[in-house]
Amino acid sequence: MSLQDAPLAGVFPPGNEEGWRKIVDRALKGASFDRLISKTYDGVEISPLYPRATAPGPRALRAAAGRWSILARVDVSGPDAANALALGDLEGGADGLHIVFAGAQGAYGTGLADDGEEALAHVFDKIRFDYGIPALVEFSPAAPKAADTLLRILDRAHIEPSITRLSFGLDPLGAKALHGFSPAPWGEESKSFAARAKSLAAAGYRFGTVAADARVIHAAGGTEAQELGFALAAALAYLRALEAGGVALDEARALLAFRLAADADEFVTIAKFRALRRLFARMEEACGLAPAPIFVHAETAWRMMTRRDPWTNLLRATLASFGAAVGGADAVTVLPFTQALGAPDDFARRLARDTQLVLQDESHIYAVDDPASGSGGMEALTEALCERGWAEFQSLEAEGGLAAALEKGSFQGRIAEVAGKRAQNVARSRDKITGSNAFPDIGEAPVATLAPFDGSLAEAPAPAGALKSPPLRPRRLAEPFETLRDRSDVAAAKGARPRIFLANLGAVAVFTARANFAKNFFEAGGIEAVFGEEGADVAAAFRASGAKLACICSSDAIYAEKAVEAARDLTAAGARVYLAGRPGELEAALRAAGVAEFIYAGGDMFDTLQRAFEEAG
């Protein structure tokens, strides 16, 4: 008899799905069980309960058992400041560095802007690459001399390459996807790529010489399957190029590393990282190779970051880094919580390090390899992502490979379709972003950064004669709401924000729920909510508020008694009138009384706020 089958301490009877479903059906009160089943953007169903996995798939194990590497970004444009911050990060608990040049995939408003020898010598002064610290480099077309410059610096320091863990992360297809150009057709570019990778490996730089980096898919709004398919297709393209360049396939495989985004949906993140290892093992077997552990680098996702209420980024980053670590990432970079505002200072960088240090040194989540193994839900989700990721990979191969698909723009079109659905769900607050379209803090205090966000650092100019294709532009989901909040701040600096008067009808206990909903709704767009008092004359209170908009808030029962009269009074007082909730049978009467719009969960929140902002201005 197993523990699951035995009564708990003789008090509780053993549980089973049938008994659980009876309790759930009572709670649903006749509603469909399907409302408890969610779906990812890949169409993967996630049920509330799963049986234990009877035949778990292959374990998702790190290349080296135990702790993952905590990486700190080196991305400040000033060489001396970048050096000081990097040394501080290493002294403060980081295991290694994530070096980002301007124009790279990870150049989110920051990046090393100078690839000259003097500048980089300052950046890496006193950093002991010979101690074997992991140092993952993101190059870009905007820093063409960076790799050679770094090689000269290391050679001048008499550092033996084989004792370093410096990853050059060559990734021309990732750069092509991001910027929408390549210097030559892939048939030609693949030869120079292979020659470059081969020469680095021959010199002793074999750790992560080549990177299949799929973060751009996530940042552009793509799905987990699209991210996985891109990573596999890039990896296969690089293996083919290296083999054609004279590198044995087994040796080429050893030069390859992967990089994925880790999102705040921790279950999907865990499954995605586990799926990558299984899928690449399947590819290795198809290539006649015995599967070997791969090096996987995770970075917390750019698209989930917010400029508004940036402290909530700490929560998202914790969930994301937890998911990446449990999913088996070998190294993790946490974006500092102020990354979307500008260059993070010491405090923001320390919190980024400490997020991982707490997970490692206090929670010890590294102590169990692949802790999700055997979980019914996690195994089902992992296998579903494997199935869909492999299908996406096959689609890219059917188009002639990743380079050909990017040149045609078909893959970008599929990502744009999903990104549009995401944007719509954010606009309707179905996908909630705390601090942006949910629970906004309209009076938030500013947060310090070393320098303001510089979008130009993410750009790279196309050389003359470059082969162009549609670029995949990184976008944060919160940006539309942040645009309205920015306009509100400008108005506040000139005197006052746009306002809406909440005409609360009935007792406090009756109107509070919808009044709070209305406050959160309008303040997400930068429109300050002014509460009406219980029992006050709504028309007089509206005139005294200085607002141009009014929103009636109460229960359905009170609406039936008082909403029409209140709407007439507010309209007569000059208000554009909203009502919180669905109108039902009262809609015609309420509209006749002057109610212009109804706000409720599931409506197009952003579209309503755009129009309300214009009316309130």
Side-chain angles (χ1 to χ4, degrees), residues 383-402:
E383 284 304 312
L385 289 183
C386 283
E387 178 185 340
R388 285 162 174 76
W390 191 259
E392 188 65 51
F393 163 64
Q394 289 180 311
S395 295
L396 291 169
E397 284 297 292
E399 294 183 63
L402 181 57

Side-chain angles (χ1 to χ4, degrees), residues 75-106:
D75 60 351
V76 178
S77 57
D80 292 332
N83 175 255
L85 291 170
L87 291 173
D89 283 322
L90 292 171
E91 292 172 1
D95 300 308
L97 302 174
H98 179 185
I99 302 162
V100 182
F101 283 88
Q105 277 204 45

